[in-house]
Amino acid sequence: MKPVRTVARALLAAVFVRGGLEAYKNPDRFVDGAKAVTDRMGSTLGSAGLPTDPRSLVRLTGIVQMVGGALLATNTATKPAAIALAGSLVPSTMAGQDFWSGSEQPQPGPLLRSDAGTSVLKNLGLMGGLLLAAVDTEGKPGLAWRTGHLTEHAQDSLKRAAETTAKETRRAARTTAKETKRAAHLTAKEAKRAAEGARRGARTAARETKLAMTSATAGGILSS
């Protein structure tokens, strides 16, 4: 699809490069048409920092269209170039004029209204093509998709981290319970063993005492 995009951008840019060059070289040819725009939108142009003088407006628009067209044709900074070119069409489109025709303004009538409507539709068609060029991602994921994908990935990572933490906590709790049970069991065994040792020692002491008493008694009998 890249060759198709390249050809399409070049064809779209050719309109602006040619028109912009002609406007810059011969601005007086388009002054009458541009005056209709400045007369209707002078305050708007001034507030936007654009020239309200028809000749200056024509030359500035020509420069924008030459540079933007060249960038678009060479696939360089295509998004800013397409946006700039679309913006260059806004004044004449909103004023319902096509000051690139370079022809004398005819007398008002049905034919003039028809020509103006055609010019506006032509500008809108060009703006549509430029907007498509501006949002074209050349087959790569768009910003919205990348943002959503990153958000989803972050949520999955958090979920996995939470599950891992929960598993580790349960494993640690089971290990602690086992160790506690083992320690208690060992303590009980040690206590039992100590008690048995004490009882054994007591029995041994009792036997030794009994033997001592028996020996003493036997010795007394023999001596008498």
Side-chain angles (χ1 to χ4, degrees):
M1 287 295 291
K2 189 171 182 180
V4 176
R5 285 188 176 91
T6 301
V7 173
R9 289 171 180 170
L11 293 175
L12 185 60
V15 177
F16 294 96
V17 173
R18 181 182 181 280
L21 180 62
E22 184 65 22
Y24 184 78
K25 289 171 60 178
N26 303 301
D28 294 334
R29 179 183 171 189
F30 307 99
V31 166
D32 290 341
K35 189 173 186 303
V37 175
T38 56
D39 288 346
R40 296 182 66 176
M41 303 182 61
S43 58
T44 303
L45 294 173
S47 62
L50 298 174
T52 56
D53 173 63
R55 193 172 187 276
S56 300
L57 179 62
V58 169
R59 298 202 72 178
L60 176 62
T61 306
I63 293 172
V64 171
Q65 294 192 346
M66 279 192 297
V67 174
L71 292 175
L72 187 63
T74 57
N75 289 327
T76 305
T78 54
K79 287 180 174 57
I83 293 172
L85 290 174
S88 72
L89 295 174
V90 170
S92 59
T93 302
M94 293 184 64
Q97 298 289 333
D98 180 17
F99 59 71
W100 306 113
S101 62
S103 59
E104 296 293 333
Q105 297 296 315
Q107 295 297 319
L111 182 59
L112 176 60
R113 289 193 295 271
S114 176
D115 289 343
T118 301
S119 298
V120 170
L121 290 176
K122 182 190 72 175
N123 283 357
L124 291 175
L126 289 172
M127 289 176 68
L130 291 168
L131 292 177
L132 286 175
V135 300
D136 182 25
T137 61
E138 299 186 0
K140 300 175 183 177
L143 178 60
W145 186 91
R146 291 199 299 271
T147 302
H149 181 70
L150 288 174
T151 302
E152 184 178 352
H153 181 69
Q155 291 175 347
D156 289 342
S157 298
L158 289 174
K159 184 178 179 180
R160 286 195 296 270
E163 291 175 351
T164 301
T165 301
K167 288 180 180 179
E168 293 296 332
T169 301
R170 289 194 296 268
R171 187 179 296 113
R174 287 195 298 267
T175 302
T176 302
K178 288 180 180 179
E179 293 296 331
T180 302
K181 185 177 180 180
R182 186 180 297 110
H185 182 66
L186 290 174
T187 301
K189 289 178 67 176
E190 292 295 332
K192 185 177 179 180
R193 189 178 296 114
E196 289 177 352
R199 287 194 297 269
R200 192 179 299 113
R203 287 195 297 268
T204 301
R207 282 198 302 269
E208 290 178 352
T209 300
K210 186 177 180 180
L211 288 173
M213 291 177 64
T214 302
S215 298
T217 302
I221 294 173
L222 291 173
S223 61
S224 62

